[in-house]
Protein backbone atom coordinates (compact mmCIF):
# COMPACT_ATOMS: atom_id res chain seq x y z
CA UNK A 1 0.00 0.00 0.00
CA UNK A 2 1.22 3.49 -0.81
CA UNK A 3 3.58 4.62 1.96
CA UNK A 4 2.04 8.09 2.10
CA UNK A 5 -1.53 6.89 2.67
CA UNK A 6 -2.47 8.60 5.95
CA UNK A 7 -5.56 10.13 7.45
CA UNK A 8 -5.66 13.83 8.38
CA UNK A 9 -4.93 13.68 12.09
CA UNK A 10 -5.86 17.23 13.00
CA UNK A 11 -9.20 16.88 11.23
CA UNK A 12 -9.97 13.71 13.21
CA UNK A 13 -8.99 15.35 16.51
CA UNK A 14 -11.19 18.37 15.75
CA UNK A 15 -14.22 16.16 15.13
CA UNK A 16 -13.60 14.24 18.38
CA UNK A 17 -13.58 17.54 20.26
CA UNK A 18 -16.69 18.80 18.46
CA UNK A 19 -18.70 15.67 19.20
CA UNK A 20 -17.29 15.57 22.74
CA UNK A 21 -18.70 19.06 23.34
CA UNK A 22 -22.25 17.68 22.97
CA UNK A 23 -23.32 16.56 26.42
CA UNK A 24 -19.97 17.70 27.86
CA UNK A 25 -19.60 17.40 31.63
CA UNK A 26 -17.65 19.75 33.85
CA UNK A 27 -14.18 18.19 34.18
CA UNK A 28 -13.95 16.95 30.62
CA UNK A 29 -16.25 13.96 30.29
CA UNK A 30 -19.42 13.39 28.33
CA UNK A 31 -22.94 12.25 29.15
CA UNK A 32 -24.95 11.08 26.16
CA UNK A 33 -26.97 8.16 27.47
CA UNK A 34 -28.83 6.28 24.76
CA UNK A 35 -31.85 8.06 23.27
CA UNK A 36 -31.59 11.14 25.49
CA UNK A 37 -31.78 14.67 24.08
CA UNK A 38 -27.95 14.79 24.11
CA UNK A 39 -27.72 11.51 22.18
CA UNK A 40 -30.18 13.01 19.68
CA UNK A 41 -27.93 16.07 19.24
CA UNK A 42 -24.84 13.89 18.79
CA UNK A 43 -26.68 11.79 16.22
CA UNK A 44 -27.72 14.87 14.26
CA UNK A 45 -24.10 16.09 14.19
CA UNK A 46 -22.68 12.79 12.92
CA UNK A 47 -25.45 12.40 10.35
CA UNK A 48 -24.68 15.89 9.06
CA UNK A 49 -21.00 14.95 8.68
CA UNK A 50 -21.95 11.76 6.87
CA UNK A 51 -24.10 13.72 4.43
CA UNK A 52 -21.35 16.31 3.86
CA UNK A 53 -19.00 13.47 2.90
CA UNK A 54 -21.43 12.37 0.22
CA UNK A 55 -22.43 9.15 1.98
CA UNK A 56 -25.84 7.64 1.34
CA UNK A 57 -27.27 7.65 4.87
CA UNK A 58 -29.86 5.17 6.08
CA UNK A 59 -31.43 4.69 9.52
CA UNK A 60 -33.48 1.77 10.78
CA UNK A 61 -36.29 1.64 13.31
CA UNK A 62 -33.89 1.21 16.23
CA UNK A 63 -31.95 4.31 15.19
CA UNK A 64 -28.91 2.47 13.81
CA UNK A 65 -27.36 4.85 11.27
CA UNK A 66 -25.16 3.69 8.37
CA UNK A 67 -23.43 5.88 5.78
CA UNK A 68 -22.40 4.19 2.54
CA UNK A 69 -19.76 5.07 -0.04
CA UNK A 70 -20.15 3.33 -3.37
CA UNK A 71 -17.52 0.89 -4.62
CA UNK A 72 -16.46 0.02 -8.17
CA UNK A 73 -18.30 -3.28 -7.77
CA UNK A 74 -21.16 -1.83 -5.79
CA UNK A 75 -23.17 -5.05 -5.76
CA UNK A 76 -20.55 -6.75 -3.58
CA UNK A 77 -21.07 -6.80 0.19
CA UNK A 78 -19.56 -3.72 1.84
CA UNK A 79 -16.64 -3.44 4.19
CA UNK A 80 -18.03 -1.82 7.27
CA UNK A 81 -16.58 0.08 10.19
CA UNK A 82 -18.24 1.85 13.05
CA UNK A 83 -18.99 1.78 16.71
CA UNK A 84 -21.30 3.81 18.97
CA UNK A 85 -21.78 7.42 20.00
CA UNK A 86 -23.90 6.84 23.10
CA UNK A 87 -21.93 7.04 26.35
CA UNK A 88 -22.34 6.03 29.97
CA UNK A 89 -23.62 8.92 32.11
CA UNK A 90 -20.09 9.65 33.33
CA UNK A 91 -18.20 8.75 30.17
CA UNK A 92 -15.32 10.05 28.10
CA UNK A 93 -15.26 11.41 24.58
CA UNK A 94 -13.34 8.52 23.00
CA UNK A 95 -15.26 5.36 23.96
CA UNK A 96 -17.14 4.44 20.78
CA UNK A 97 -16.92 7.92 19.31
CA UNK A 98 -13.35 7.34 18.11
CA UNK A 99 -14.41 4.39 15.98
CA UNK A 100 -17.23 6.27 14.29
CA UNK A 101 -15.27 9.46 13.67
CA UNK A 102 -12.19 7.57 12.47
CA UNK A 103 -14.51 5.80 10.02
CA UNK A 104 -15.63 9.18 8.69
CA UNK A 105 -11.99 10.27 8.49
CA UNK A 106 -11.20 7.17 6.39
CA UNK A 107 -13.95 8.17 3.97
CA UNK A 108 -12.81 11.80 3.81
CA UNK A 109 -9.20 10.74 3.17
CA UNK A 110 -10.29 8.50 0.29
CA UNK A 111 -12.55 11.25 -1.07
CA UNK A 112 -9.67 13.76 -0.97
CA UNK A 113 -7.37 11.39 -2.81
CA UNK A 114 -9.96 10.28 -5.33
CA UNK A 115 -9.49 6.64 -4.32
CA UNK A 116 -12.39 4.31 -5.04
CA UNK A 117 -12.35 0.84 -3.52
CA UNK A 118 -13.68 -2.26 -5.25
CA UNK A 119 -16.26 -2.91 -2.57
CA UNK A 120 -18.50 -0.26 -1.05
CA UNK A 121 -17.49 1.12 2.34
CA UNK A 122 -19.91 1.70 5.19
CA UNK A 123 -19.53 3.65 8.43
CA UNK A 124 -22.14 3.13 11.12
CA UNK A 125 -23.10 4.02 14.62
CA UNK A 126 -25.12 1.40 16.44
CA UNK A 127 -27.72 2.41 19.00
CA UNK A 128 -27.38 1.89 22.72
CA UNK A 129 -24.08 0.06 22.82
CA UNK A 130 -23.55 0.99 26.45
CA UNK A 131 -26.69 -0.55 27.89
CA UNK A 132 -26.47 1.55 31.04
CA UNK A 133 -29.90 3.10 30.48
CA UNK A 134 -31.58 0.26 28.58
CA UNK A 135 -30.43 -3.38 28.77
CA UNK A 136 -28.94 -5.21 27.01
CA UNK A 137 -25.78 -3.48 25.87
CA UNK A 138 -24.93 -3.71 22.17
CA UNK A 139 -28.66 -3.55 21.52
CA UNK A 140 -28.42 -1.77 18.16
CA UNK A 141 -25.90 -4.23 16.75
CA UNK A 142 -28.01 -7.16 17.97
CA UNK A 143 -31.07 -5.84 16.14
CA UNK A 144 -29.05 -4.85 13.05
CA UNK A 145 -27.75 -8.43 12.78
CA UNK A 146 -31.13 -10.04 13.47
CA UNK A 147 -30.07 -11.47 16.84
CA UNK A 148 -32.73 -9.55 18.77
CA UNK A 149 -36.18 -8.59 17.59
CA UNK A 150 -37.07 -4.94 17.16
CA UNK A 151 -40.12 -5.51 19.38
CA UNK A 152 -38.01 -6.93 22.23
CA UNK A 153 -35.53 -4.07 21.96
CA UNK A 154 -38.27 -1.43 21.92
CA UNK A 155 -39.88 -2.98 25.01
CA UNK A 156 -36.78 -2.56 27.21
CA UNK A 157 -37.45 0.05 29.90
CA UNK A 158 -35.18 2.36 31.90
CA UNK A 159 -35.38 3.01 35.64
CA UNK A 160 -38.12 5.60 35.09
CA UNK A 161 -40.31 3.17 33.14
CA UNK A 162 -39.59 4.83 29.76
CA UNK A 163 -39.30 2.28 26.95
CA UNK A 164 -36.76 2.27 24.14
CA UNK A 165 -39.64 2.72 21.69
CA UNK A 166 -40.84 5.84 23.52
CA UNK A 167 -37.35 7.26 23.95
CA UNK A 168 -36.49 6.71 20.25
CA UNK A 169 -39.69 8.43 19.15
CA UNK A 170 -39.03 11.34 21.53
CA UNK A 171 -35.76 12.14 19.73
CA UNK A 172 -37.23 11.35 16.31
CA UNK A 173 -34.74 8.58 15.49
CA UNK A 174 -37.02 5.96 13.95
CA UNK A 175 -36.03 5.20 10.35
CA UNK A 176 -37.17 2.73 7.74
CA UNK A 177 -33.98 0.96 6.66
CA UNK A 178 -34.13 -2.81 6.40
CA UNK A 179 -33.84 -4.86 9.62
CA UNK A 180 -31.77 -6.95 9.81
CA UNK A 181 -29.31 -4.93 7.78
CA UNK A 182 -27.18 -6.48 5.04
CA UNK A 183 -24.31 -8.58 6.40
CA UNK A 184 -21.03 -6.91 5.45
CA UNK A 185 -18.11 -8.63 3.73
CA UNK A 186 -16.07 -7.76 6.84
CA UNK A 187 -16.28 -5.44 9.84
CA UNK A 188 -13.42 -3.56 11.54
CA UNK A 189 -13.82 -1.41 14.65
CA UNK A 190 -11.28 1.00 16.08
CA UNK A 191 -11.71 1.53 19.82
CA UNK A 192 -9.74 2.70 22.81
CA UNK A 193 -8.52 -0.26 24.87
CA UNK A 194 -10.21 0.95 28.08
CA UNK A 195 -7.73 -1.15 30.07
CA UNK A 196 -4.09 -0.78 31.13
CA UNK A 197 -2.19 -3.25 28.92
CA UNK A 198 -1.04 -1.14 25.96
CA UNK A 199 -0.30 1.86 28.17
CA UNK A 200 1.78 -0.22 30.60
CA UNK A 201 3.68 -1.96 27.82
CA UNK A 202 4.16 1.32 25.94
CA UNK A 203 2.69 -0.14 22.74
CA UNK A 204 0.82 1.76 20.03
CA UNK A 205 -1.70 -0.76 18.74
CA UNK A 206 -3.61 -3.83 19.91
CA UNK A 207 -4.84 -6.31 17.32
CA UNK A 208 -7.79 -7.81 19.19
CA UNK A 209 -8.21 -11.55 19.03
CA UNK A 210 -11.27 -12.04 21.28
CA UNK A 211 -13.79 -10.48 23.66
CA UNK A 212 -14.62 -12.06 27.01
CA UNK A 213 -18.09 -13.31 27.96
CA UNK A 214 -20.47 -10.94 29.76
CA UNK A 215 -23.22 -11.79 32.25
CA UNK A 216 -25.47 -9.01 33.59
CA UNK A 217 -28.15 -9.82 36.16
CA UNK A 218 -30.41 -7.77 38.38
CA UNK A 219 -31.28 -9.22 41.79
CA UNK A 220 -34.21 -7.90 43.78
CA UNK A 221 -34.35 -8.79 47.46
CA UNK A 222 -37.58 -8.49 49.43
CA UNK A 223 -37.30 -8.16 53.23
CA UNK A 224 -39.36 -6.44 55.90
CA UNK A 225 -38.95 -2.84 57.02
CA UNK A 226 -38.74 -2.33 60.76
CA UNK A 227 -37.47 0.13 63.30
CA UNK A 228 -33.66 0.34 63.38
CA UNK A 229 -33.64 0.81 67.13
CA UNK A 230 -36.27 -1.61 68.34
CA UNK A 231 -36.09 -4.62 66.03
CA UNK A 232 -33.70 -7.22 67.53
CA UNK A 233 -31.04 -8.42 65.10
CA UNK A 234 -32.38 -11.97 65.38
CA UNK A 235 -35.79 -10.86 64.09
CA UNK A 236 -34.64 -8.95 61.01
CA UNK A 237 -35.35 -9.68 57.37
CA UNK A 238 -32.87 -7.16 56.05
CA UNK A 239 -32.68 -6.87 52.27
CA UNK A 240 -29.76 -4.45 52.63
CA UNK A 241 -27.71 -6.98 54.56
CA UNK A 242 -28.23 -9.57 51.81
CA UNK A 243 -27.10 -7.05 49.18
CA UNK A 244 -23.95 -6.35 51.19
CA UNK A 245 -23.15 -10.06 51.51
CA UNK A 246 -23.68 -10.59 47.77
CA UNK A 247 -21.39 -7.64 47.01
CA UNK A 248 -18.68 -9.19 49.17
CA UNK A 249 -19.21 -12.58 47.50
CA UNK A 250 -18.84 -11.11 44.01
CA UNK A 251 -15.41 -9.74 44.95
CA UNK A 252 -14.38 -12.93 46.69
CA UNK A 253 -15.39 -15.10 43.69
CA UNK A 254 -12.94 -13.29 41.42
CA UNK A 255 -9.95 -14.10 43.62
CA UNK A 256 -9.29 -17.57 42.22
CA UNK A 257 -8.63 -16.41 38.67
CA UNK A 258 -6.94 -13.31 37.24
CA UNK A 259 -9.28 -13.64 34.23
CA UNK A 260 -12.39 -13.29 36.36
CA UNK A 261 -13.98 -9.88 37.02
CA UNK A 262 -17.16 -9.03 38.92
CA UNK A 263 -18.86 -5.71 39.59
CA UNK A 264 -21.86 -4.56 41.60
CA UNK A 265 -22.67 -1.30 39.80
CA UNK A 266 -26.15 -0.48 41.11
CA UNK A 267 -27.64 -0.82 44.58
CA UNK A 268 -31.00 0.82 45.18
CA UNK A 269 -32.16 0.54 48.79
CA UNK A 270 -35.76 1.09 49.82
CA UNK A 271 -36.91 3.07 51.64
CA UNK A 272 -33.28 4.29 51.89
CA UNK A 273 -33.63 5.90 55.30
CA UNK A 274 -31.10 5.97 58.14
CA UNK A 275 -33.35 4.40 60.78
CA UNK A 276 -35.36 1.87 58.75
CA UNK A 277 -34.37 -1.73 57.96
CA UNK A 278 -34.41 -1.94 54.13
CA UNK A 279 -37.41 -3.88 52.83
CA UNK A 280 -36.29 -4.03 49.21
CA UNK A 281 -33.02 -3.75 47.31
CA UNK A 282 -32.37 -3.91 43.59
CA UNK A 283 -28.77 -4.59 42.67
CA UNK A 284 -26.92 -5.43 39.48
CA UNK A 285 -24.08 -7.92 39.08
CA UNK A 286 -21.75 -7.81 36.05
CA UNK A 287 -19.62 -10.97 35.76
CA UNK A 288 -17.13 -11.50 32.94
CA UNK A 289 -14.70 -14.22 31.96
CA UNK A 290 -12.77 -15.23 28.85
CA UNK A 291 -13.90 -18.83 29.35
CA UNK A 292 -17.61 -19.59 28.91
CA UNK A 293 -17.51 -22.64 31.21
CA UNK A 294 -15.97 -20.51 33.99
CA UNK A 295 -18.64 -17.86 33.49
CA UNK A 296 -21.44 -20.43 33.71
CA UNK A 297 -19.83 -21.80 36.87
CA UNK A 298 -19.55 -18.31 38.42
CA UNK A 299 -23.25 -17.65 37.72
CA UNK A 300 -24.19 -20.92 39.41
CA UNK A 301 -21.99 -20.27 42.47
CA UNK A 302 -23.46 -16.80 42.85
CA UNK A 303 -27.04 -18.02 42.55
CA UNK A 304 -26.46 -20.70 45.19
CA UNK A 305 -24.95 -18.09 47.50
CA UNK A 306 -27.88 -15.70 46.95
CA UNK A 307 -30.41 -18.45 47.68
CA UNK A 308 -28.63 -19.57 50.87
CA UNK A 309 -28.11 -16.01 52.17
CA UNK A 310 -31.73 -15.06 51.49
CA UNK A 311 -33.00 -18.18 53.21
CA UNK A 312 -30.92 -17.56 56.33
CA UNK A 313 -32.18 -13.96 56.54
CA UNK A 314 -35.82 -14.73 55.74
CA UNK A 315 -35.63 -12.64 52.58
CA UNK A 316 -37.06 -13.62 49.18
CA UNK A 317 -35.58 -12.70 45.83
CA UNK A 318 -36.04 -12.60 42.09
CA UNK A 319 -33.44 -12.44 39.31
CA UNK A 320 -33.74 -10.71 35.95
CA UNK A 321 -31.35 -11.36 33.12
CA UNK A 322 -30.16 -8.02 31.68
CA UNK A 323 -27.56 -9.24 29.22
CA UNK A 324 -25.60 -12.39 28.35
CA UNK A 325 -22.89 -12.68 25.74
CA UNK A 326 -20.60 -15.63 25.23
CA UNK A 327 -16.90 -14.93 24.61
CA UNK A 328 -16.28 -14.12 20.95
CA UNK A 329 -13.19 -14.89 18.86
CA UNK A 330 -12.44 -12.52 16.00
CA UNK A 331 -11.41 -13.54 12.50
CA UNK A 332 -7.70 -14.44 12.54
CA UNK A 333 -7.48 -13.12 8.97
CA UNK A 334 -8.76 -9.66 9.94
CA UNK A 335 -6.63 -9.61 13.09
CA UNK A 336 -3.63 -10.59 10.99
CA UNK A 337 -4.32 -7.81 8.51
CA UNK A 338 -4.51 -5.28 11.36
CA UNK A 339 -1.16 -6.48 12.75
CA UNK A 340 0.35 -6.38 9.25
CA UNK A 341 -0.74 -2.78 8.66
CA UNK A 342 0.46 -1.71 12.11
CA UNK A 343 3.88 -3.18 11.27
CA UNK A 344 3.87 -1.52 7.85
CA UNK A 345 3.35 1.84 9.60
CA UNK A 346 6.21 1.14 12.02
CA UNK A 347 3.82 0.97 14.98
CA UNK A 348 4.54 -1.28 17.94
CA UNK A 349 1.72 -3.75 18.48
CA UNK A 350 0.58 -6.95 20.11
CA UNK A 351 -2.29 -9.41 19.99
CA UNK A 352 -4.66 -9.03 22.94
CA UNK A 353 -8.18 -9.74 24.08
CA UNK A 354 -10.84 -7.23 25.09
CA UNK A 355 -12.31 -6.82 28.55
CA UNK A 356 -15.13 -4.58 27.32
CA UNK A 357 -18.02 -5.54 25.09
CA UNK A 358 -18.12 -4.13 21.56
CA UNK A 359 -20.43 -3.92 18.53
CA UNK A 360 -17.81 -5.85 16.53
CA UNK A 361 -18.41 -9.00 18.59
CA UNK A 362 -22.06 -9.01 17.51
CA UNK A 363 -21.44 -8.22 13.85
CA UNK A 364 -18.55 -10.69 13.91
CA UNK A 365 -20.95 -13.56 14.57
CA UNK A 366 -21.98 -13.45 10.91
CA UNK A 367 -18.98 -12.05 9.04
CA UNK A 368 -15.22 -11.83 9.53
CA UNK A 369 -14.53 -9.03 12.00
CA UNK A 370 -11.66 -7.57 13.92
CA UNK A 371 -10.77 -4.70 16.22
CA UNK A 372 -7.95 -2.22 16.55
CA UNK A 373 -7.15 -0.96 20.06
CA UNK A 374 -5.22 2.16 21.00
CA UNK A 375 -3.90 2.81 24.52
CA UNK A 376 -5.99 4.32 27.30
CA UNK A 377 -3.84 6.44 29.61
CA UNK A 378 -3.64 4.66 33.00
CA UNK A 379 -6.23 2.18 31.71
CA UNK A 380 -9.09 4.50 32.74
CA UNK A 381 -12.45 4.40 30.97
CA UNK A 382 -16.15 4.84 31.82
CA UNK A 383 -14.80 7.84 33.68
CA UNK A 384 -14.64 11.51 32.70
CA UNK A 385 -10.84 11.24 32.97
CA UNK A 386 -10.69 8.77 30.06
CA UNK A 387 -7.84 9.86 27.81
CA UNK A 388 -5.92 8.64 24.78
CA UNK A 389 -2.93 10.54 23.44
CA UNK A 390 -3.59 12.27 20.11
CA UNK A 391 -0.77 10.43 18.30
CA UNK A 392 -2.37 7.12 19.29
CA UNK A 393 -5.81 8.21 18.07
CA UNK A 394 -4.23 9.13 14.74
CA UNK A 395 -2.17 5.93 14.55
CA UNK A 396 -5.28 3.82 15.15
CA UNK A 397 -7.16 5.64 12.40
CA UNK A 398 -4.26 5.08 10.01
CA UNK A 399 -4.36 1.35 10.71
CA UNK A 400 -8.14 1.43 10.20
CA UNK A 401 -7.73 3.20 6.84
CA UNK A 402 -5.30 0.63 5.52
CA UNK A 403 -7.19 -2.35 6.88
CA UNK A 404 -10.41 -1.13 5.29
CA UNK A 405 -8.79 -0.45 1.95
CA UNK A 406 -7.20 -3.93 1.94
CA UNK A 407 -10.51 -5.60 2.79
CA UNK A 408 -12.45 -3.48 0.34
CA UNK A 409 -10.19 -4.42 -2.53
CA UNK A 410 -10.70 -8.12 -1.99
CA UNK A 411 -12.52 -9.52 -4.98
CA UNK A 412 -15.49 -11.83 -4.74
CA UNK A 413 -14.36 -15.47 -4.66
CA UNK A 414 -10.55 -15.23 -4.67
CA UNK A 415 -9.38 -13.73 -1.40
CA UNK A 416 -6.19 -12.54 0.22
CA UNK A 417 -7.09 -13.88 3.61
CA UNK A 418 -7.90 -17.42 4.71
CA UNK A 419 -11.30 -17.00 6.35
CA UNK A 420 -12.64 -14.20 4.14
C1 LIG B 1 -19.55 -1.75 27.36
O1 LIG B 1 -19.02 -0.64 27.46
C2 LIG B 1 -19.27 -2.76 28.35
O2 LIG B 1 -19.84 -2.69 29.44
O3 LIG B 1 -18.39 -3.60 28.10
MN1 LIG C 1 -17.39 1.36 23.61
MN1 LIG D 1 -18.41 1.94 27.03
Amino acid sequence: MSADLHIDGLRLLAKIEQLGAIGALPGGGVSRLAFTKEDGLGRAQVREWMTELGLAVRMDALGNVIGRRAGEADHLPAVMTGSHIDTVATGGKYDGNLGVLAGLEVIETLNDRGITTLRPLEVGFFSNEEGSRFAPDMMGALVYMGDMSLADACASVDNDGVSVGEALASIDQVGDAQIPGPTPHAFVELHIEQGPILDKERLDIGAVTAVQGISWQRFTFYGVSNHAGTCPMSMRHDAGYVAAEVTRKVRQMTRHSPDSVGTVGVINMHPNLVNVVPNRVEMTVDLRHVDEAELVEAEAVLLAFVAATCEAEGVTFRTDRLARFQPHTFSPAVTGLIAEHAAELGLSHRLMSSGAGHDAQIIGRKCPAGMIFVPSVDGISHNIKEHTEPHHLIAGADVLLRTMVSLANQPAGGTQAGDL
Side-chain angles (χ1 to χ4, degrees):
M1 198 162 299
S2 155
D4 72 344
L5 184 62
H6 290 285
I7 59 109
D8 181 331
L10 292 181
R11 194 165 60 189
L12 171 64
L13 298 180
K15 279 207 172 67
I16 292 172
E17 291 307 313
Q18 237 179 298
L19 186 54
I22 301 175
L25 294 168
V30 181
S31 180
R32 286 201 312 271
L33 278 174
F35 313 136
T36 54
K37 182 171 122 277
E38 291 73 22
D39 185 26
L41 293 170
R43 288 164 162 275
Q45 175 61 86
V46 176
R47 288 186 61 162
E48 188 184 317
W49 283 331
M50 285 180 166
T51 307
E52 281 169 12
L53 290 177
L55 298 177
V57 182
R58 63 182 193 266
M59 178 165 71
D60 67 25
L62 198 73
N64 292 312
V65 173
I66 314 290
R68 179 186 173 90
R69 182 180 195 261
E72 278 161 19
D74 208 38
H75 62 285
L76 292 178
V79 169
M80 187 189 255
T81 190
S83 192
H84 59 98
I85 59 166
D86 67 311
T87 72
V88 296
T90 52
K93 57 185 169 225
Y94 305 107
D95 179 358
N97 298 280
L98 170 63
V100 177
L101 299 180
L104 296 186
E105 181 52 43
V106 166
I107 300 292
E108 194 156 4
T109 300
L110 297 178
N111 285 356
D112 288 351
R113 291 173 174 249
I115 297 171
T116 307
T117 51
L118 179 70
R119 293 171 179 277
L121 295 175
E122 293 187 334
V123 184
F125 58 87
F126 296 96
S127 297
N128 185 30
E129 189 273 352
E130 293 292 3
S132 10
R133 180 178 179 200
F134 298 104
D137 50 343
M138 296 170 276
M139 179 187 275
L142 283 168
V143 169
Y144 186 85
M145 296 309 288
D147 285 349
M148 182 179 197
S149 76
L150 177 64
D152 283 351
C154 285
S156 177
V157 288
D158 68 7
N159 289 336
D160 299 322
V162 177
S163 71
V164 163
E166 289 162 347
L168 266 169
S170 75
I171 58 165
D172 196 21
Q173 291 293 299
V174 182
D176 59 3
Q178 175 196 327
I179 288 180
T183 300
H185 170 64
F187 184 85
V188 198
E189 180 174 357
L190 168 63
H191 206 285
I192 55 168
E193 179 198 332
Q194 307 183 272
I197 297 167
L198 293 174
D199 189 49
K200 265 199 183 141
E201 296 183 6
R202 297 270 167 250
L203 296 173
D204 301 314
I205 297 289
V208 185
T209 53
V211 185
Q212 66 181 344
I214 302 175
S215 162
W216 284 4
Q217 295 176 82
R218 180 173 50 226
F219 291 96
T220 309
F221 303 118
Y222 303 95
V224 179
S225 277
N226 209 329
H227 193 292
T230 62
C231 182
M233 299 311 283
S234 61
M235 288 176 62
R236 294 191 180 202
H237 306 292
D238 184 342
Y241 164 73
V242 172
E245 286 291 294
V246 172
T247 304
R248 198 184 54 80
K249 179 69 176 175
V250 166
R251 170 59 71 98
Q252 184 223 324
M253 280 167 50
T254 61
R255 297 223 167 99
H256 73 283
S257 154
D259 287 330
S260 170
V261 288
T263 305
V264 172
V266 172
I267 297 188
N268 292 320
M269 298 262 204
H270 305 275
N272 208 27
L273 297 169
V274 63
N275 54 353
V276 182
V277 175
N279 65 3
R280 179 164 56 92
V281 176
E282 294 112 16
M283 68 185 289
T284 60
V285 179
D286 173 325
L287 299 174
R288 305 193 192 202
H289 205 288
V290 290
D291 180 347
E292 173 64 14
E294 293 267 0
L295 192 52
V296 169
E297 168 75 10
E299 290 174 320
V301 167
L302 184 65
L303 186 60
F305 180 84
V306 165
T309 309
C310 283
E311 191 178 342
E313 185 67 7
V315 162
T316 58
F317 73 97
R318 64 171 280 166
T319 60
D320 292 286
R321 166 65 65 196
L322 299 179
R324 185 66 164 85
F325 299 96
Q326 293 196 4
H328 178 79
T329 302
F330 287 120
S331 151
V334 177
T335 308
L337 213 46
I338 289 167
E340 201 179 292
H341 286 302
E344 177 184 82
L345 287 161
L347 298 166
S348 56
H349 59 282
R350 60 164 282 171
L351 299 178
M352 62 189 300
S353 73
S354 170
H358 296 290
D359 296 307
Q361 77 191 82
I362 306 302
I363 297 161
R365 291 172 177 173
K366 302 213 171 97
C367 71
M371 291 191 74
I372 304 159
F373 273 179
V374 287
S376 292
V377 173
D378 295 331
I380 292 176
S381 187
H382 284 188
N383 181 324
I384 63 170
K385 294 209 159 38
E386 174 186 284
H387 184 68
T388 293
E389 294 296 346
H391 70 278
H392 283 141
L393 300 167
I394 294 167
D398 266 338
V399 176
L400 179 69
L401 167 66
R402 285 164 184 250
T403 306
M404 287 187 74
V405 169
S406 288
L407 290 166
N409 284 331
Q410 289 180 339
T415 60
Q416 297 164 269
D419 58 343
L420 284 168

